Amino acid sequence: MTTIIYDKYNKQLVADTRWSFKFSDKLGKKYLIFVDDCGFDKIADGKNTALLTAGNGKFIAMWRKWWFEGRDKSKIPETGNNNETLINLLIVDKKSNSVIFHAGEKLAHYCVDSNELLGVFAGSGAIPAADCWGENRCGKTAIETSSKRDIHTSQDIKWVDFSSVKTNIT
């Protein structure tokens, strides 16, 4: 899968770039095939909102198409089939720094005192990323740490920073 982070605390979205799938040959030998930084980013950045995705590539492609082709609310894509969610996603309002839509399983960090959401983590590397982020409050470091513990996560990182309005997504 991958690792994605909505770092509400630092007003950022962060994701690795790896796409991977498992493959078995005719003899039953198993392989993991992956590609990093192929241009099919897990973050789709808009002027006021952003889409953050992890999971099944087919469903991510449908959501990206919907995102870039007008975001018609009457044509919102599905998140899975047969009662199984196959995508983790968040749509974040960058101005208010809040989640306006989400689907799929995620981990979250909350402030104990205020019960305010601080960060959201999804994908195969969510656990090590959430653990690392809890210690250092840095999404990029959390992805790097996750990549050392999760073969489906790369160290190649894409990000969007709401405060500075900077991104490395092309």
Side-chain angles (χ1 to χ4, degrees):
M1 198 190 247
T2 193
T3 305
I4 59 172
I5 300 171
Y6 165 40
D7 185 345
K8 183 174 180 170
Y9 181 79
N10 292 304
K11 299 180 181 179
Q12 296 177 340
L13 297 178
V14 188
D16 78 302
T17 66
R18 180 162 292 169
W19 289 96
S20 62
F21 69 96
K22 295 176 182 173
F23 173 78
S24 296
D25 66 16
K26 292 178 184 177
L27 300 174
K29 193 168 183 179
K30 296 179 182 183
Y31 300 90
L32 176 69
I33 299 172
F34 67 87
V35 62
D36 292 337
D37 199 14
C38 65
F40 189 69
D41 295 322
K42 296 162 188 167
I43 301 172
D45 191 24
K47 181 178 178 180
N48 297 316
T49 55
L51 172 70
L52 183 63
T53 58
N56 181 289
K58 175 184 166 187
F59 285 89
I60 290 173
M62 290 187 308
W63 275 88
R64 288 178 55 84
K65 181 178 180 185
W66 173 81
W67 183 264
F68 290 116
E69 292 182 1
R71 303 178 207 162
D72 183 343
K73 290 183 182 177
S74 69
K75 297 179 182 178
I76 294 176
E78 295 183 24
T79 58
N81 52 36
N82 300 324
N83 297 321
E84 180 182 12
T85 301
L86 298 173
I87 186 173
N88 290 300
L89 68 90
L90 292 145
I91 298 176
V92 177
D93 183 314
K94 297 188 304 184
K95 299 231 182 241
S96 67
N97 193 26
S98 62
V99 174
I100 55 178
F101 182 82
H102 69 94
E105 296 180 4
K106 295 165 205 57
L107 301 175
H109 272 283
Y110 284 88
C111 176
V112 177
D113 296 327
S114 68
N115 201 31
E116 180 183 354
L117 178 67
L118 300 174
V120 179
F121 311 84
S124 55
I127 292 172
D131 289 346
C132 178
W133 189 91
E135 293 291 321
N136 63 52
R137 299 289 196 267
C138 177
K140 294 173 189 173
T141 301
I143 297 277
E144 289 171 1
T145 297
S146 182
S147 74
K148 294 173 185 166
R149 298 183 183 145
D150 174 39
I151 190 112
H152 301 279
T153 299
S154 75
Q155 290 185 359
D156 192 9
I157 299 169
K158 297 292 182 178
W159 52 269
V160 174
D161 186 293
F162 310 159
S163 297
S164 69
V165 196
K166 292 183 180 178
T167 182
N168 70 342
I169 297 173
T170 54

